Amino acid sequence: MKSPSDISIVSRNQLREELRSKRKAINSKQQAEASINLLRNLIKFPAFLKAKRIAVYLASDGEMDLQLLIHQAWAMNK
């Protein structure tokens, strides 16, 4: 019999795989539009504007590309 923590691990792994598949199904045009929309929304967000530092990741495995955000943050001296 599986313990509750084993079930939780299995559920998380299944969710990760499902999300990974959905990310990979998004075409490059949609990914680029999502990156642009993210940047457009963040530069209006007071917490982002006030922040001196932000954390980002380098995209892999179908994740959203944050290069536009990174360049904008550098331009804003973050």
Side-chain angles (χ1 to χ4, degrees):
M1 182 173 195
K2 291 185 178 185
S3 72
S5 62
D6 290 337
I7 294 169
S8 178
I9 291 169
V10 170
S11 296
R12 282 194 307 251
N13 289 340
Q14 288 172 337
L15 178 60
R16 285 187 186 114
E17 285 302 317
E18 181 181 331
L19 292 174
R20 185 175 292 121
S21 294
K22 287 181 179 185
R23 282 195 313 263
K24 288 182 176 185
I26 298 171
N27 67 42
S28 59
K29 182 180 177 186
Q30 291 170 317
Q31 288 178 345
E33 288 172 357
S35 293
I36 291 167
N37 287 333
L38 173 67
L39 179 58
R40 284 181 181 154
N41 285 312
L42 273 178
I43 61 174
K44 297 176 192 173
F45 191 59
F48 176 77
L49 295 172
K50 291 178 188 176
K52 294 182 181 186
R53 292 181 207 92
I54 62 167
V56 296
Y57 59 84
L58 298 178
S60 68
D61 201 24
E63 295 171 333
M64 183 182 293
D65 187 0
L66 298 181
Q67 290 297 316
L68 291 175
L69 173 61
I70 292 168
H71 289 289
Q72 181 64 42
W74 280 338
M76 297 171 75
N77 295 316
K78 295 188 182 298

